[in-house]
Amino acid sequence: MTLLPFLRDLPAFERFDEKELDAFVASSRLYEFPEGHRFSGENEPGSSTYLLVTGRVRVFHHDAMVGATLSVNEVCSGEMFNVLSLVGPLSVSTTAVALEPSIALEFPRDSLPDIKRAVPRVAHQIQYMIAIQLANALQARNTALRSRL
């Protein structure tokens, strides 16, 4: 499967040239996952982020403080999930499960230093996505806590 046309159509990757996209793809692995596949579980160490090529994935979180399972997102083709797995050896705060057979590009945390050296603009984009994910998680947590007041 040729991923360059797919990546060029995504806003997060459209500004990169072929060399930069090739480096990103070379540092990743393309996998097919069956319906029901669990990409991550809450409080388990994460080591990769995924770019969904085809399929749908439900990402959710059980908040013990609020006492509810919160559906964080339904990820569709062209979206990344488990982005916070790239931040050190942290536990993943969500569970991600394939809602249908899916194809995803797995980008392991161990590849991030190589990407920073080889194609710093792509690494900067990945760091930006991490910052957005952290901001969204903080805002969701703040909203949940305020609802308890």
Side-chain angles (χ1 to χ4, degrees):
M1 171 180 231
T2 303
L3 290 170
L4 293 184
F6 172 76
L7 290 173
R8 281 195 186 106
D9 284 343
L10 301 178
F13 293 96
E14 67 187 1
R15 66 187 176 105
F16 302 122
D17 62 32
E18 190 170 327
K19 175 189 169 250
E20 291 169 314
L21 294 175
D22 280 340
F24 175 71
V25 170
S27 65
S28 305
R29 295 178 295 262
L30 190 66
Y31 291 109
E32 292 185 35
F33 298 97
E35 178 181 348
H37 174 78
R38 197 173 89 159
F39 293 90
S40 63
E42 290 178 55
N43 303 317
E44 295 174 359
S47 60
S48 297
T49 189
Y50 298 88
L51 172 61
L52 197 60
V53 178
T54 64
R56 293 179 307 129
V57 172
R58 180 173 181 246
V59 179
F60 57 95
H61 167 71
H62 181 77
D63 192 323
M65 186 172 285
V66 176
T69 298
L70 310 171
S71 184
V72 175
N73 198 6
E74 184 175 302
V75 178
C76 298
S77 176
E79 296 180 309
M80 292 184 87
F81 61 98
N82 282 9
V83 176
L84 295 182
S85 293
L86 299 178
V87 182
L90 299 176
S91 295
V92 178
S93 61
T94 57
T95 298
V97 178
L99 294 174
E100 60 191 35
S102 302
I103 297 174
L105 190 64
E106 179 188 32
F107 179 76
R109 179 177 54 244
D110 296 343
S111 294
L112 196 52
D114 295 334
I115 287 293
K116 285 180 183 177
R117 280 190 297 280
V119 284
R121 288 183 346 130
V122 173
H124 181 265
Q125 179 64 31
I126 292 169
Q127 290 169 327
Y128 173 76
M129 290 188 290
I130 292 169
I132 294 296
Q133 183 70 38
L134 284 169
N136 289 339
L138 205 62
Q139 184 177 11
R141 184 70 167 161
N142 186 39
T143 300
L145 290 173
R146 285 181 179 265
S147 72
R148 295 182 54 89
L149 295 177

